[in-house]
Amino acid sequence: WRGEYSPTALDCWWRDYCVWMRDLAQVCTRARVSLLFIGSELTSLQNRTALWTSLIDQLRIVYSGGLGYSSNWDSWQTISFHEKLNLVGINGYFPLIERNVPTNRAHSQTEYEARLLPHLSALNMWKQSHQTPMIFTEVGYPANDPDLSRPWYHSDKPTTKTKADQQFVGFRSFMNVFGQAGPQIGRAHV
């Protein structure tokens, strides 16, 4: 998973990454793309402010559209270069139950939504002191995995049982909590 990726030869890797991003930015300019995400879930690199700031400055020379970065749900607060961006994206795979809770225990819609409220609160607090708009760039809940404790997890084992009701409950919980919060979290104007 790219969130755990940590280049062993960072200087070499970063140089290649910058070349690739500049090439992508030029393609986006020619295609009149209005928003380019410069990275996604590169958690181990999110605290490298100087590297990201330099890359953003280089991209702004060849690309006039908006620049964004998409972070994992549990590390969005470590994006140290967000002020240089037009947008921060969050990949919202928020757990809805505690791990290792017996799967035969029934959970209520209220319990699922209560697990999301601290995340909503954190996003609203962040927005009060920062200008960079935020959006959800990904949201997911499984229809065929054991439970909603790790919605990002997918099993490589083939499964015949689909739990569409589980997936529905996950998305409904997300929308009930965050769907009304759009103006509080922010809207991107690129």
Side-chain angles (χ1 to χ4, degrees), residues 5-22 38-59 69 80-81 85:
Y5 180 70
S6 185
T8 53
L10 179 61
D11 292 339
C12 181
W13 184 89
W14 190 259
R15 188 174 44 254
D16 290 346
Y17 188 77
C18 289
V19 168
W20 177 63
M21 287 306 306
R22 282 192 306 271
I38 64 171
S40 177
E41 296 181 2
L42 293 169
T43 307
S44 71
L45 301 172
Q46 287 176 186
N47 64 347
R48 304 285 188 148
T49 308
L51 294 176
W52 289 106
T53 299
S54 174
L55 173 61
I56 292 166
D57 291 342
Q58 292 173 48
L59 295 178
Y69 180 87
S80 59
F81 49 94
L85 297 170

Side-chain angles (χ1 to χ4, degrees), residues 16-154:
D16 290 346
Y17 188 77
C18 289
V19 168
W20 177 63
M21 287 306 306
R22 282 192 306 271
D23 289 347
L24 267 177
Q26 290 171 348
V27 169
C28 289
T29 296
R30 288 191 299 275
R32 297 183 182 163
V33 172
S34 61
L35 178 63
L36 171 63
F37 279 83
I38 64 171
S40 177
E41 296 181 2
L42 293 169
T43 307
S44 71
L45 301 172
Q46 287 176 186
N47 64 347
R48 304 285 188 148
T49 308
L51 294 176
W52 289 106
T53 299
S54 174
L55 173 61
I56 292 166
D57 291 342
Q58 292 173 48
L59 295 178
R60 295 232 185 257
I61 294 169
V62 297
Y63 177 71
S64 62
L67 296 175
Y69 180 87
S70 183
S71 181
N72 199 40
W73 67 273
D74 61 352
S75 66
W76 60 269
Q77 292 174 318
T78 66
I79 301 172
S80 59
F81 49 94
H82 65 85
E83 287 121 359
K84 301 279 285 181
L85 297 170
N86 300 92
L87 179 68
V88 171
I90 299 173
N91 297 339
Y93 295 90
F94 303 106
L96 296 182
I97 61 172
E98 291 288 331
R99 217 163 153 211
N100 299 323
V101 170
T103 56
N104 60 354
R105 181 196 176 288
H107 294 84
S108 71
Q109 187 71 45
T110 303
E111 288 177 288
Y112 291 131
E113 292 172 18
R115 296 271 301 168
L116 295 173
L117 292 175
H119 300 288
L120 175 63
S121 179
L123 289 167
N124 283 328
M125 286 178 52
W126 189 89
K127 186 61 185 158
Q128 290 175 7
S129 57
H130 299 85
Q131 297 298 315
T132 311
M134 300 176 97
I135 64 168
F136 287 102
T137 42
E138 294 180 27
V139 175
Y141 289 99
N144 59 354
D145 288 318
D147 59 42
L148 295 171
S149 67
R150 297 182 299 163
W152 58 87
Y153 178 76
H154 68 329

